[in-house]
Amino acid sequence: MKQPLSEEKVFKDPVHNYVHVQDVIIWRLINTPEFQRLRRIRQLGTSYLTFHGAEHSRFSHSLGVYEITRRIISQFERSGYKDWLPEEALLTLCAALLHDLGHGPFSHSIEEAFAVHHEEWTCRIILEDTEITTILREVAPDFPEKVASVISKTYEHEIVVNLVSGPLDADRMDYLLRDAYYTGVNYGTIDIDRILRMLRPYNGRVVVKESGMHAIEDYLMSRYQMYWQVYFHPVTRSSEIILRQIFRRAKELFQEGYTFGFMVEPLRELFGGEVTVQQYLLLDEALVQTAFMQWTREKDPLLSELCCRFIHRRLYKYVETENLDLETIDEIRRSFSAAGLNPDYDLEIDFPTDLPYDVFRPEEGFDSKQILLLDRQDRLREISEVSDIVRSISGIHRGRYHLYFPQDRLRQALPRLPLSVAEIFEKQHKN
C-alpha cells in the first residue's frame, strides 16, 4: 500500500525537468547505501573515453526510469482504465527504481569479464540482508520477492513487467533520451510526451493507440541509430576490450598465485569467484580505477601496460573488414605468434550486432517482444504489419568485423607478417 509523503520531494533533472517522489517507501529506498552506490557507477561504462560528456550515472538513469513509470501509472489511474490494477502501482514503481541496482563498475564490461549478470545481482541485493530488503519487507513480508520477480520477468501480471522491461519500456525510453543528451547527439531525442499519451493497458499488457504509430516509428529508429552511433562506437569498443583484458590478466595472475603490489578485498573475492552481496556492494568505479592506477606500476609488464593504456587513453587501433572466416582468423593468430606478438592480448576480433526490432511471425502469435497497436475497433495489430518503416528494419542484423590491435607493436611486427595478413591491416582505414 502506498504511503504518501507529507510533502512531495523533487529532483531537478536535465531530461525530465523534474523527478517527483511522492511516496515514503520510494524516498527511503533512494536514500539507502545500496541505491546511493549507483552514483558511483557510470551509465555508459567506458563511453566517456569517446564522448567526454558521458559521465552520467546509473543513479540518474534509475530516477529517470522511475519518473517515466510514475507518469504512465498516473495517466492510467487518471483515465480509470479497467485493465490497470492501482494496487500494483507501488510494486511497479519500486521495480522501476531498483531495476539496475546490481550493476557493477563499468556496467556491461565487467559482466562480460566475469560472466556475471546485473539482473541476478539486483535480485540478490533486493532479497538478501540489505537496507533495501528491510524497507521492502515493511510493505509486506513477500514484497521483496514480488519486486525481484518483476525484474527477473517472472511476475504473474505481464503488464507490470511490460512497464519496466519490454519493447517499449520506461528503461529504454529514459536511456535513449539521457544518453543522447549527455553524449551530445540527436539520435535519441524521441517524442516521449506523445508516446506516453498513446500508451494503454489492454488485456493484461501495455499497447499503443494506433494514432501514436509515427512516434513509435521514431522511437525505434532512434534506438537503431543510438546503437550504431553511440553504444557500438568502435573507439568505445576498443576501451571495453582493454578493460576486459585488464580483468582477464589480473584474474590469470591471481590464479597463478602472483603477489600483487596492490589488492583490495572485493577484487580479491571477485577474482576468486566467491563474492558476497556486501563485498559486491563495495565495488564501484572509484575503487576499480584506483586499482588500475596502482597496477600501472605492477611488476607484470602486460598488466602494467594494459592499465597504462586504459588510464591514459592509449587505446587499440582497429581495421574493418566485411568478411572474416575461421580459417583467416587462425592464419592471423598464427602469424601474430610467429612475429613475436601475443594473439591473446594483441588481437581482438569484434562483431557488434543489434536487432532493431524482432520479426513478427503471424503463425506464432503476439509475444512480449513486440509492440502492439490498438485501433478504433479495439483490435490489436503488431506494428510491423502496419508500418513500412518498422517492417524495413525488422530482423536486420547489421555489423562488420573490427580487428583491434596495439598499433605501436603491430607496426614493428608488420615486416615479419605474411603479405596476406599484413595487407588486412595496411589497406583498411585506421581510426
Side-chain angles (χ1 to χ4, degrees):
M1 182 180 295
K2 296 176 73 174
Q3 181 184 352
L5 285 162
S6 58
E7 182 180 359
E8 180 181 271
K9 307 288 186 180
V10 294
F11 291 83
K12 194 72 177 75
D13 187 81
V15 175
H16 304 300
N17 196 19
Y18 286 103
V19 174
H20 301 264
V21 180
Q22 302 164 332
D23 192 85
V24 170
I25 293 295
I26 298 296
W27 181 244
R28 290 178 62 197
L29 289 172
I30 289 171
N31 285 288
T32 59
E34 296 87 7
F35 193 80
Q36 291 292 317
R37 168 183 167 273
L38 296 180
R39 293 182 185 272
R40 307 189 299 277
I41 306 290
R42 286 187 181 90
Q43 168 71 10
L44 283 183
T46 63
S47 289
Y48 70 97
L49 293 171
T50 308
F51 302 92
H52 65 267
E55 296 281 353
H56 55 303
S57 68
R58 290 276 165 186
F59 179 91
S60 60
H61 165 63
S62 296
L63 288 180
V65 175
Y66 156 82
E67 175 61 16
I68 292 174
T69 306
R70 186 198 66 79
R71 288 177 60 186
I72 296 171
I73 291 173
S74 295
Q75 174 187 294
F76 286 177
E77 293 181 347
R78 284 195 308 272
S79 302
Y81 294 121
K82 60 182 177 61
D83 286 282
W84 173 252
L85 300 175
E87 57 267 29
E88 297 202 304
L90 182 61
L91 170 63
T92 311
L93 291 173
C94 288
L97 181 73
L98 303 177
H99 78 287
D100 271 352
L101 205 58
H103 268 291
F106 301 106
S107 299
H108 297 290
S109 297
I110 199 169
E111 293 186 74
E112 293 180 28
F114 293 98
V116 297
H117 304 284
H118 73 271
E119 293 94 347
E120 293 177 9
W121 278 107
T122 297
C123 291
R124 287 188 64 179
I125 294 166
I126 288 170
L127 295 172
E128 296 189 23
D129 185 19
T130 62
E131 284 192 28
I132 293 280
T133 314
T134 301
I135 292 169
L136 293 176
R137 290 214 189 280
E138 292 179 15
V139 178
D142 64 344
F143 198 62
E145 285 74 18
K146 286 186 175 181
V147 175
S149 70
V150 175
I151 291 166
S152 61
K153 305 180 183 66
T154 60
Y155 186 64
E156 58 183 330
H157 295 148
E158 185 181 6
I159 191 170
V160 176
V161 178
N162 269 180
L163 288 173
V164 180
S165 178
L168 187 62
D169 59 23
D171 182 23
R172 284 175 171 82
M173 284 188 271
D174 182 80
Y175 75 59
L176 287 176
L177 288 167
R178 194 169 301 277
D179 296 348
Y181 177 89
Y182 282 101
T183 55
V185 303
N186 294 319
Y187 312 113
T189 51
I190 59 176
D191 187 354
I192 189 169
D193 292 331
R194 174 70 173 167
I195 292 173
L196 298 189
R197 285 199 305 273
M198 294 295 105
L199 297 183
R200 300 286 186 271
Y202 186 79
N203 286 351
R205 63 175 293 169
V206 178
V207 300
V208 182
K209 191 177 176 182
E210 191 171 38
S211 57
M213 182 183 73
H214 299 300
I216 306 304
E217 290 174 334
D218 187 48
Y219 156 82
L220 291 172
M221 288 302 298
S222 292
R223 183 186 181 278
Y224 175 81
Q225 295 288 1
M226 283 293 287
Y227 266 82
W228 289 104
Q229 301 299 326
V230 176
Y231 306 137
F232 290 161
H233 194 289
V235 177
T236 299
R237 301 289 279 194
S238 177
S239 59
E240 290 172 349
I241 284 167
I242 293 175
L243 182 68
R244 292 198 300 272
Q245 288 186 341
I246 291 172
F247 284 130
R248 190 198 335 162
R249 182 56 181 165
K251 186 177 180 181
E252 288 173 354
L253 292 172
F254 179 85
Q255 293 174 340
E256 293 169 4
Y258 174 86
T259 302
F260 285 83
F262 178 87
M263 179 60 71
V264 290
E265 178 191 328
L267 291 177
R268 185 182 298 110
E269 279 65 33
L270 185 66
F271 294 141
E274 296 181 0
V275 186
T276 66
V277 166
Q278 297 306 321
Q279 290 166 338
Y280 187 82
L281 289 169
L282 294 175
L283 287 167
D284 60 25
E285 289 179 18
L287 182 142
V288 169
Q289 288 193 309
T290 298
F292 288 179
M293 182 62 77
Q294 294 296 320
W295 290 347
T296 61
R297 300 182 294 181
E298 279 292 340
K299 290 176 290 185
D300 180 73
L302 180 53
L303 180 61
S304 173
E305 183 203 340
L306 289 169
C307 288
C308 283
R309 285 187 178 277
F310 187 83
I311 291 292
H312 304 304
R313 199 187 177 278
R314 297 169 185 162
L315 306 179
Y316 284 2
K317 302 298 181 180
Y318 69 92
V319 296
E320 291 183 3
T321 182
E322 292 280 356
N323 301 305
L324 196 64
D325 55 35
L326 290 176
E327 185 177 339
T328 304
I329 293 171
D330 287 341
E331 181 188 2
I332 294 171
R333 289 181 60 84
R334 288 194 303 269
S335 301
F336 268 44
S337 292
L341 297 170
N342 182 350
D344 290 332
Y345 283 94
D346 292 333
L347 176 69
E348 286 279 350
I349 299 170
D350 188 38
F351 185 74
T353 59
D354 175 51
L355 188 64
Y357 185 71
D358 200 17
V359 179
F360 173 59
R361 299 175 179 84
E363 68 277 8
E364 296 179 7
F366 301 138
D367 65 30
S368 60
K369 297 178 182 178
Q370 290 152 354
I371 297 171
L372 304 183
L373 301 178
L374 184 67
D375 68 16
R376 293 179 179 179
Q377 287 75 44
D378 285 346
R379 294 175 303 188
L380 290 177
R381 288 195 291 177
E382 191 273 332
I383 191 171
S384 68
E385 292 184 288
V386 183
S387 167
D388 292 336
I389 292 174
V390 176
R391 190 161 52 251
S392 70
I393 64 171
S394 292
I396 292 176
H397 281 279
R398 170 189 160 190
R400 283 186 170 191
Y401 289 97
H402 288 78
L403 282 69
Y404 289 88
F405 54 90
Q407 187 178 40
D408 49 352
R409 280 208 295 281
L410 183 68
R411 185 183 293 119
Q412 294 175 358
L414 210 55
R416 300 191 295 275
L417 293 175
L419 183 61
S420 59
V421 173
E423 285 180 343
I424 294 173
F425 295 91
E426 287 180 326
K427 290 185 177 180
Q428 300 292 330
H429 172 71
K430 298 177 180 60
N431 63 319

